[in-house]
Amino acid sequence: MTRRSSSDLPHGGTAFGVTLRSLRRTARLTLEELSQASGVSVRALGDMERGRSRGPQRRTVDALATALDLDHEQRQRLQRLADAGRERGGPAAPPYLLRTVPDFTGRRRELADLEALAEGAGTRAVVLFGPGGQGKTTLAAQAARQLTGEHFPDGCVSVQLHGMSDTPVPPAEALVLLLTALGHPPDRIPVDPVAREAVYRATLSDRRVLVVLDDAADEAQARPLLPDAEGSFVLVTSRRPLTGLEGVRRIRLGALSGGESVTLLERILGTPRTDGQADGISRLAELCGHLPLALRIVGNRLSSRPAWTPARLADQLADEEGRLGTLVAGDLAVRGALALSYRQLTAPRRLLLRRLGLLPGHETGPHLAAVLTGGDDPVAVRDALDLLVERGLLEEPTPGRYAFHDLVRLFARERLRAEEPAPPVEAAALRMADWLLRSASAAGRWFEAPGADEPWPGAPPAFAPASAAAAEEWLSTERAHWAGALRLMFEAERHQEIVHTARTLYWFSDRWGTWPEWRTLFTYGVRSAAALGDPAAQAHQLNCLAWTYSVGGARYEQAEEHARQALDLATEAGDRGQQGWAWTYIAGACMRLDRPAEAARAAEEAVRLFEATGDRAGQTVSRRVLGSALRESGRAEEALAVHRDLLGADAGDVPGFQEFAQAILRHQIAGDLLALGRWSDAVAAYRAVVTPATHGGTDRFKAQALSGLATALEHCGDTAEARARLAEAHRLFTAAGDAAAAERTAAALDRLAT
């Protein structure tokens, strides 16, 4: 059997003709009798039944329906088939499913999986599913080309089911198209749909045919078109996984990889247009989100504009609000592909999709999504999110977390602006921001000393973690959201709530010192405290900001500047506690800026203030900094005494801080012994250093301890282990992004290798 596609046949006309003939025979009328009853000529009726007339006009169909005494449903069905015939009239389209593209790129794993399934026993159907624009039809065409012949010697037939249109092809009509394409005489196709299915499966059972069902709407449309367990093989493409189908395998189609995206653009454009344009092409691939449809549009647009460079088009696409409008080339449009799925949603699910465009972060869970829609049932919202995943409008990167493709996010925001007035949208955004900061405050209280203030009241109720582990997980998972909510709350002049959140997350921030969100939080904290006219609160936030510049960014000049501003404000407010923290951060910055004597004086002042206020945590930190400053000033014996005196000291009642402080102290003591040249004692001390389990992001801490251990080992003559520890330290410094430390350890490794 040769390759055929139902696109080579008169789609609507054949279906209309078969249906008309079935209805005429059911009514026990000859052509002449129907002609007389309807006023339609015998010749015209014959042309209709033979498929030569693709779609008669409405008045003709009305006359036939009246003559056949059809009920309302039958009349509507006949009319729809006639309308479809006219819409699909004209010259037969090329066999679109079997028309492969010469620049087909990637999808090696999917093609290999399809080939393995075609060769294997048992599985006779595969659903190739994924969001719109991922190239499912193109991949099906490529698979048909590669598999037909050796694997399917009886050829390939295909039908477009128009699942995403307003008028999907009914299974009974699709069966007519497929049976005709398989060579079954139209006048012998049964009228009864069940009998028609039986003939179809019998036709496939003794052949090796590949059947491609493109763009299936749902299980009900695809199920009657599946084969029996033996013989032919069906490849279904759909935006949905069609989870209700039995005995099928599913392959999800996602975006191309970065390399595949670049290769596709290069193949579309050709070598002369891509030489020396690597950066521009890479930018285009990123801005397209590696979506094949978007990449095809971009490539086609550049091909039609010889004077344009990839960089120029990338500059246009950089504007998020205009990106979807730019991703159009002729009848190809990303917006149109997404709109097909959007139109099939119910109104509440459209609302959910639109409102998700307000999210500051990339992923969400059901609770936050419910806040956006004003719903109070996260379970129902989760079901709606799952449906959006099934429809290809959301992704589920991890169980229970839902995310947009970048271009779908832009589409959702477009629909939000177009379909909803500003007041309810602004109210939803502020409700979300308020809930996020209340929830962050509730979670942060798990890491504060007992008695920390509770979050302000509000609706819906804040997330209430049942344990410190749950609180830490929520703060980590949702950090892009609660950090993004700060801008909305600041613009709404909710300054008291921002300062409250920043205070409540104060000690938790110490556990994940390198998070960039801390600088955002404490910057807004400073601005809100200033707006409230509260110098003590402003001093506290400036001290926190100084900490972020020191610990999280190694920008010690800025850290000192913020700490000195905090000192002035704390002095003005008479807040000795914040004066103590300001001197502590000044000391740390001075030490890093190679001013150890000045650092020691600042630390001594901090110790004096913390002793006066009775702040045990502050005393622990400031005395540790004092010891480090003494060591860097050449006073290592004094430093060792200060640090050893702190071992076992009460560091206060902040959860987890005692363990953390002791781990840091052991590291400092090892450094003191190293500075004193007590090599074997330093080796033992460094081996006793334990990474603080209560704090994350400890790669730099481990690397510093390993680097010190390597130095002590080298002086003890154990160069082999010294090299091993340096290599490990280099890996950790590199992973932590500390380029300067990585460079120093690399140089030390080179020295030991000679």
Side-chain angles (χ1 to χ4, degrees):
M1 178 179 177
T2 59
R3 288 189 189 180
R4 301 182 67 189
S5 166
S6 58
S7 299
D8 295 318
L9 302 166
H11 291 265
T14 299
F16 178 86
V18 171
T19 302
L20 177 61
R21 183 173 59 253
S22 298
L23 291 169
R24 178 176 62 78
R25 289 177 177 176
T26 300
R28 299 182 180 278
L29 296 174
T30 64
L31 280 175
E32 290 76 10
E33 289 170 337
L34 180 57
S35 172
Q36 184 175 2
S38 65
V40 180
S41 71
V42 172
R43 180 176 180 179
L45 288 172
D47 286 345
M48 291 177 201
E49 291 192 2
R50 286 189 293 272
R52 294 175 181 172
S53 176
R54 292 180 175 273
Q57 297 300 314
R58 180 173 293 274
R59 61 179 179 273
T60 302
V61 177
D62 286 342
L64 292 171
T66 301
L68 291 166
D69 194 23
L70 301 183
D71 61 25
H72 177 73
E73 183 177 344
Q74 290 173 316
R75 182 184 292 265
Q76 291 294 105
R77 166 78 177 137
L78 194 64
Q79 184 61 64
R80 199 180 66 79
L81 289 174
D83 292 342
R86 288 194 301 277
E87 290 169 5
R88 301 169 197 165
Y96 87 109
L97 274 177
L98 301 182
R99 185 181 61 82
T100 57
V101 292
D103 46 34
F104 182 85
T105 302
R107 308 302 192 194
R108 292 182 180 178
R109 180 180 60 81
E110 290 86 352
L111 285 168
D113 288 346
L114 287 170
E115 184 170 9
L117 290 169
E119 290 176 344
T123 299
R124 306 314 306 156
V126 174
V127 177
L128 184 65
F129 73 98
Q134 297 289 9
K136 298 181 291 296
T137 297
T138 302
L139 176 57
Q142 185 71 16
R145 186 185 71 82
Q146 292 184 197
L147 297 176
T148 305
E150 179 181 353
H151 296 91
F152 300 104
D154 293 321
C156 172
V157 295
S158 58
V159 64
Q160 188 180 27
L161 297 176
H162 298 285
M164 297 307 297
S165 73
D166 294 332
T167 57
V169 176
E173 180 182 339
L175 284 168
V176 172
L177 302 175
L178 289 168
L179 282 168
T180 308
L182 288 164
H184 201 85
D187 59 353
R188 295 177 60 189
I189 295 176
V191 175
D192 179 62
V194 176
R196 195 176 293 176
E197 280 187 49
V199 171
Y200 169 70
R201 292 199 172 96
T203 302
L204 292 178
S205 64
D206 59 354
R207 307 187 197 185
R208 290 285 294 167
V209 176
L210 174 61
V211 179
V212 181
L213 309 176
D214 187 40
D215 190 20
D218 52 30
E219 292 87 346
Q221 187 188 33
R223 186 177 286 109
L225 311 180
L226 299 183
D228 286 326
E230 300 296 333
S232 298
F233 190 88
V234 170
L235 172 58
V236 186
T237 72
S238 179
R239 296 197 182 189
R240 303 173 58 187
L242 306 184
T243 52
L245 292 182
E246 311 86 353
V248 305
R249 295 288 293 273
R250 293 170 180 85
I251 297 176
R252 187 185 189 280
L253 205 59
L256 296 175
S257 69
E260 289 170 339
S261 299
V262 168
T263 300
L264 177 57
L265 285 174
E266 289 174 342
R267 288 178 176 175
I268 294 172
L269 293 171
T271 302
R273 294 290 301 280
T274 57
D275 282 348
Q277 302 293 325
D279 290 344
I281 290 175
S282 294
R283 279 186 65 204
L284 283 177
E286 289 292 331
L287 290 167
C288 289
H290 308 291
L291 185 73
L293 175 61
L295 294 164
R296 175 71 58 187
I297 290 170
V298 162
N300 290 358
R301 290 199 67 183
L302 283 174
S303 296
S304 66
R305 292 167 173 80
W308 282 30
T309 64
R312 175 176 175 176
L313 185 53
D315 290 341
Q316 282 193 10
L317 290 174
D319 174 19
E320 286 194 349
E321 289 195 8
R323 189 175 304 167
L324 290 179
T326 303
L327 288 173
V328 177
D331 61 350
L332 298 178
V334 171
R335 182 189 287 118
L338 299 176
L340 289 174
S341 294
Y342 180 73
R343 285 200 299 267
Q344 294 192 344
L345 300 176
T346 61
R349 287 160 181 165
R350 290 184 188 180
L351 174 68
L352 173 60
L353 185 77
R354 294 194 302 268
R355 293 286 178 85
L356 291 176
L358 293 171
L359 290 171
H362 185 64
E363 298 179 7
T364 187
H367 283 87
L368 180 53
V371 172
L372 277 171
T373 60
D376 56 0
D377 184 2
V379 174
V381 174
R382 183 194 61 203
D383 291 342
L385 291 167
D386 286 338
L387 181 134
L388 292 177
V389 171
E390 190 172 285
R391 297 295 173 88
L393 290 167
L394 288 181
E395 300 169 353
E396 192 175 9
T398 57
R401 300 293 294 177
Y402 303 88
F404 276 126
H405 184 280
D406 290 344
L407 297 179
V408 181
R409 177 196 292 273
L410 296 181
F411 176 81
R413 289 176 176 172
E414 267 194 4
R415 292 294 87 213
L416 187 69
R417 291 191 296 269
E419 298 182 30
E420 295 194 50
V425 172
E426 292 167 358
L430 188 57
R431 180 173 65 244
M432 169 193 69
D434 177 80
W435 183 84
L436 282 165
L437 292 198
R438 279 189 289 115
S439 298
S441 296
R445 292 182 72 245
W446 281 92
F447 309 98
E448 292 291 309
D453 291 340
E454 293 187 4
W456 60 98
F463 171 73
S467 65
E472 185 162 16
E473 181 182 6
W474 188 91
L475 287 166
S476 177
T477 301
E478 305 291 357
R479 71 184 205 247
H481 291 307
W482 57 253
L486 292 163
R487 177 185 60 82
L488 293 169
M489 292 289 276
F490 186 84
E491 290 173 352
E493 299 184 356
R494 302 284 295 277
H495 302 303
Q496 195 69 52
E497 290 87 347
I498 290 175
V499 172
H500 182 284
T501 304
R503 282 188 176 278
T504 312
L505 291 176
Y506 172 66
W507 281 109
F508 179 74
S509 66
D510 203 42
R511 293 172 174 250
W512 296 93
T514 58
W515 283 4
E517 288 80 10
W518 300 130
R519 190 168 301 168
T520 302
L521 173 64
F522 297 129
T523 296
Y524 275 109
V526 170
R527 296 172 64 190
S528 286
L532 292 169
D534 187 339
Q538 196 174 356
H540 179 242
Q541 296 302 297
L542 280 164
N543 273 327
C544 294
L545 197 55
W547 169 82
T548 68
Y549 277 104
S550 179
V551 173
R555 294 168 61 180
Y556 303 111
E557 292 88 352
Q558 291 92 333
E560 182 181 5
E561 178 185 350
H562 288 303
R564 291 194 180 278
Q565 291 175 15
L567 179 61
D568 291 342
L569 285 164
T571 302
E572 174 191 336
D575 189 328
R576 289 189 296 173
Q578 290 307 315
Q579 291 175 48
W581 284 110
W583 281 117
T584 301
Y585 294 129
I586 290 169
C590 288
M591 194 159 50
R592 294 290 187 177
L593 293 170
D594 201 23
R595 291 150 49 195
E598 190 177 346
R601 291 192 295 272
E604 287 170 348
E605 184 63 21
V607 170
R608 182 187 67 78
L609 286 162
F610 285 131
E611 287 176 345
T613 60
D615 185 338
R616 295 194 300 275
Q619 290 178 55
T620 299
V621 175
S622 59
R623 289 176 67 192
R624 173 172 55 79
V625 173
L626 172 60
S628 301
L630 291 171
R631 183 180 66 236
E632 297 304 315
S633 301
R635 300 157 63 183
E637 286 287 1
E638 294 176 62
L640 182 60
V642 169
H643 287 145
R644 279 182 166 168
D645 188 52
L646 278 173
L647 274 178
D650 183 4
D653 53 1
V654 174
F657 183 67
Q658 179 82 22
E659 179 186 352
F660 177 65
Q662 294 299 302
I664 299 296
L665 274 173
R666 293 186 184 281
H667 185 274
Q668 292 297 326
I669 288 169
D672 297 336
L673 293 168
L674 195 67
L676 289 167
R678 294 166 57 177
W679 312 122
S680 58
D681 289 341
V683 167
Y686 274 119
R687 292 195 193 280
V689 172
V690 177
T691 302
T694 56
H695 288 57
T698 55
D699 279 355
R700 288 183 74 252
F701 180 85
K702 293 179 185 177
Q704 289 165 353
L706 288 166
S707 183
L709 175 59
T711 301
L713 286 167
E714 181 185 359
H715 281 90
C716 289
D718 192 346
T719 55
E721 188 182 353
R723 283 196 301 270
R725 300 289 80 80
L726 275 175
E728 190 176 353
H730 180 267
R731 180 183 61 80
L732 290 170
F733 277 133
T734 302
D738 192 336
E743 187 176 345
R744 288 196 301 272
T745 52
L749 275 169
D750 290 342
R751 179 176 53 78
L752 287 179
T754 57

Short mmCIF file of all heavy atoms in Angstrom, two decimals, residues 24 85 93 195 199 234 237 273 276-277 347 399 402 409 431 476 502 509-510 514 547 552 562 564 612 646 675 708:
data_model
loop_
_atom_site.label_atom_id
_atom_site.label_comp_id
_atom_site.label_asym_id
_atom_site.label_seq_id
_atom_site.Cartn_x
_atom_site.Cartn_y
_atom_site.Cartn_z
N ARG A 24 -30.56 8.47 3.57
CA ARG A 24 -31.53 8.15 2.50
C ARG A 24 -31.93 6.69 2.56
O ARG A 24 -33.12 6.35 2.42
CB ARG A 24 -30.90 8.49 1.14
CG ARG A 24 -31.82 8.15 -0.05
CD ARG A 24 -31.22 8.59 -1.36
NE ARG A 24 -29.96 7.95 -1.68
CZ ARG A 24 -29.83 6.71 -2.16
NH1 ARG A 24 -30.90 5.96 -2.37
NH2 ARG A 24 -28.63 6.22 -2.44
N GLY A 85 -17.53 20.98 4.83
CA GLY A 85 -17.13 20.70 3.45
C GLY A 85 -16.82 21.97 2.69
O GLY A 85 -15.86 22.03 1.92
N ALA A 93 -5.33 20.04 -0.14
CA ALA A 93 -4.07 20.51 0.44
C ALA A 93 -3.01 19.41 0.32
O ALA A 93 -3.34 18.24 0.22
CB ALA A 93 -4.29 20.85 1.92
N ALA A 195 -20.67 -0.50 13.81
CA ALA A 195 -20.25 -1.36 12.69
C ALA A 195 -19.10 -0.73 11.93
O ALA A 195 -18.20 -1.43 11.45
CB ALA A 195 -21.44 -1.60 11.77
N VAL A 199 -15.39 -2.43 11.12
CA VAL A 199 -14.77 -2.52 9.80
C VAL A 199 -13.39 -1.88 9.82
O VAL A 199 -12.42 -2.41 9.24
CB VAL A 199 -15.68 -1.85 8.74
CG1 VAL A 199 -14.95 -1.74 7.40
CG2 VAL A 199 -16.97 -2.63 8.58
N VAL A 234 -0.98 3.33 15.90
CA VAL A 234 -1.58 4.67 15.84
C VAL A 234 -0.72 5.65 16.64
O VAL A 234 -0.34 5.37 17.78
CB VAL A 234 -3.02 4.67 16.38
CG1 VAL A 234 -3.54 6.09 16.55
CG2 VAL A 234 -3.94 3.91 15.44
N THR A 237 -1.53 12.88 18.21
CA THR A 237 -0.98 14.11 18.75
C THR A 237 -2.11 14.89 19.41
O THR A 237 -3.24 14.91 18.92
CB THR A 237 -0.32 15.00 17.67
OG1 THR A 237 -1.33 15.58 16.85
CG2 THR A 237 0.65 14.20 16.82
N ARG A 273 23.79 34.12 6.92
CA ARG A 273 23.10 35.00 7.86
C ARG A 273 23.53 34.76 9.31
O ARG A 273 23.17 35.56 10.19
CB ARG A 273 21.59 34.81 7.77
CG ARG A 273 20.97 35.22 6.45
CD ARG A 273 21.00 36.74 6.28
NE ARG A 273 20.30 37.46 7.32
CZ ARG A 273 18.98 37.62 7.38
NH1 ARG A 273 18.21 37.11 6.42
NH2 ARG A 273 18.43 38.30 8.36
N GLY A 276 29.20 34.85 12.59
CA GLY A 276 29.51 35.98 13.45
C GLY A 276 28.32 36.51 14.24
O GLY A 276 28.40 37.59 14.83
N GLN A 277 27.20 35.77 14.27
CA GLN A 277 25.98 36.24 14.94
C GLN A 277 25.60 35.34 16.12
O GLN A 277 24.44 35.27 16.50
CB GLN A 277 24.82 36.28 13.93
CG GLN A 277 25.06 37.15 12.72
CD GLN A 277 25.13 38.62 13.09
OE1 GLN A 277 24.43 39.07 14.00
NE2 GLN A 277 25.98 39.37 12.42
N ALA A 347 -14.89 29.76 32.31
CA ALA A 347 -14.61 31.11 32.81
C ALA A 347 -13.77 31.11 34.09
O ALA A 347 -12.81 31.89 34.20
CB ALA A 347 -15.92 31.87 33.01
N PRO A 399 6.19 17.79 41.75
CA PRO A 399 4.82 17.52 42.20
C PRO A 399 4.27 18.64 43.08
O PRO A 399 4.89 19.04 44.06
CB PRO A 399 4.96 16.20 42.97
CG PRO A 399 6.15 15.53 42.37
CD PRO A 399 7.09 16.64 42.01
N TYR A 402 3.50 24.53 40.15
CA TYR A 402 3.01 24.82 38.81
C TYR A 402 3.72 26.05 38.28
O TYR A 402 3.94 27.03 39.00
CB TYR A 402 1.50 25.05 38.86
CG TYR A 402 0.76 23.86 39.43
CD1 TYR A 402 0.55 23.75 40.80
CD2 TYR A 402 0.31 22.84 38.60
CE1 TYR A 402 -0.11 22.65 41.34
CE2 TYR A 402 -0.35 21.74 39.13
CZ TYR A 402 -0.55 21.65 40.50
OH TYR A 402 -1.19 20.56 41.01
N ARG A 409 3.18 32.97 30.14
CA ARG A 409 3.03 34.01 31.17
C ARG A 409 2.69 35.35 30.52
O ARG A 409 1.80 36.08 30.98
CB ARG A 409 4.31 34.15 31.97
CG ARG A 409 4.26 35.27 33.02
CD ARG A 409 5.66 35.61 33.51
NE ARG A 409 6.21 34.52 34.27
CZ ARG A 409 6.02 34.36 35.58
NH1 ARG A 409 5.29 35.23 36.24
NH2 ARG A 409 6.55 33.35 36.21
N ARG A 431 -3.90 41.75 47.71
CA ARG A 431 -4.29 40.64 48.59
C ARG A 431 -3.21 39.57 48.60
O ARG A 431 -2.86 39.03 49.66
CB ARG A 431 -5.62 40.06 48.12
CG ARG A 431 -6.12 38.90 48.96
CD ARG A 431 -7.52 38.46 48.56
NE ARG A 431 -7.55 37.90 47.21
CZ ARG A 431 -8.21 38.43 46.19
NH1 ARG A 431 -8.88 39.56 46.35
NH2 ARG A 431 -8.21 37.85 45.01
N SER A 476 11.83 29.07 51.75
CA SER A 476 12.76 28.80 50.65
C SER A 476 12.02 28.66 49.33
O SER A 476 12.40 29.27 48.32
CB SER A 476 13.54 27.52 50.95
OG SER A 476 14.39 27.18 49.87
N ALA A 502 10.53 42.31 57.88
CA ALA A 502 12.00 42.33 57.89
C ALA A 502 12.54 41.99 59.28
O ALA A 502 13.53 41.26 59.41
CB ALA A 502 12.49 43.71 57.45
N SER A 509 17.42 34.96 58.19
CA SER A 509 18.32 35.38 57.11
C SER A 509 19.74 34.89 57.35
O SER A 509 20.49 34.63 56.40
CB SER A 509 18.30 36.91 56.95
OG SER A 509 18.87 37.54 58.09
N ASP A 510 20.11 34.74 58.63
CA ASP A 510 21.46 34.29 58.95
C ASP A 510 21.70 32.86 58.51
O ASP A 510 22.85 32.44 58.32
CB ASP A 510 21.67 34.40 60.47
CG ASP A 510 23.13 34.49 60.84
OD1 ASP A 510 23.87 35.21 60.14
OD2 ASP A 510 23.54 33.83 61.83
N THR A 514 23.54 33.96 51.68
CA THR A 514 23.86 34.36 50.30
C THR A 514 22.63 34.60 49.44
O THR A 514 22.76 34.93 48.26
CB THR A 514 24.75 33.30 49.62
OG1 THR A 514 24.07 32.04 49.64
CG2 THR A 514 26.07 33.16 50.36
N TRP A 547 24.97 43.89 56.73
CA TRP A 547 25.27 42.45 56.79
C TRP A 547 25.17 41.81 55.41
O TRP A 547 26.03 41.00 55.04
CB TRP A 547 24.31 41.79 57.78
CG TRP A 547 24.34 40.30 57.75
CD1 TRP A 547 25.22 39.48 58.39
CD2 TRP A 547 23.44 39.44 57.05
NE1 TRP A 547 24.92 38.16 58.13
CE2 TRP A 547 23.83 38.11 57.31
CE3 TRP A 547 22.33 39.67 56.24
CZ2 TRP A 547 23.16 37.01 56.78
CZ3 TRP A 547 21.65 38.58 55.71
CH2 TRP A 547 22.07 37.26 55.98
N GLY A 552 26.83 38.46 52.08
CA GLY A 552 26.27 37.97 50.83
C GLY A 552 26.93 38.50 49.58
O GLY A 552 26.74 37.95 48.49
N HIS A 562 26.87 51.61 55.21
CA HIS A 562 25.53 51.40 55.79
C HIS A 562 25.61 51.25 57.30
O HIS A 562 24.72 51.75 58.03
CB HIS A 562 24.88 50.17 55.17
CG HIS A 562 24.44 50.36 53.75
ND1 HIS A 562 23.57 51.35 53.37
CD2 HIS A 562 24.76 49.69 52.62
CE1 HIS A 562 23.36 51.29 52.06
NE2 HIS A 562 24.08 50.29 51.58
N ARG A 564 27.78 52.62 59.34
CA ARG A 564 28.02 53.93 59.97
C ARG A 564 26.75 54.78 59.93
O ARG A 564 26.48 55.54 60.87
CB ARG A 564 29.18 54.63 59.29
CG ARG A 564 30.53 53.95 59.57
CD ARG A 564 31.72 54.80 59.21
NE ARG A 564 32.98 54.11 59.49
CZ ARG A 564 33.56 54.05 60.70
NH1 ARG A 564 32.98 54.66 61.74
NH2 ARG A 564 34.70 53.41 60.87
N ALA A 612 26.45 45.88 78.21
CA ALA A 612 25.57 46.81 78.92
C ALA A 612 24.10 46.46 78.71
O ALA A 612 23.27 46.64 79.62
CB ALA A 612 25.84 48.24 78.47
N LEU A 646 35.05 31.72 74.68
CA LEU A 646 33.67 31.72 74.20
C LEU A 646 33.10 30.31 74.03
O LEU A 646 31.88 30.13 73.94
CB LEU A 646 33.58 32.44 72.84
CG LEU A 646 33.50 33.95 72.87
CD1 LEU A 646 33.61 34.51 71.46
CD2 LEU A 646 32.20 34.42 73.51
N ALA A 675 47.88 30.64 62.77
CA ALA A 675 48.64 31.88 62.82
C ALA A 675 49.80 31.79 63.80
O ALA A 675 50.85 32.44 63.62
CB ALA A 675 47.72 33.04 63.22
N GLY A 708 42.47 25.98 55.16
CA GLY A 708 43.32 26.10 56.35
C GLY A 708 43.95 24.77 56.72
O GLY A 708 45.14 24.71 57.08
#
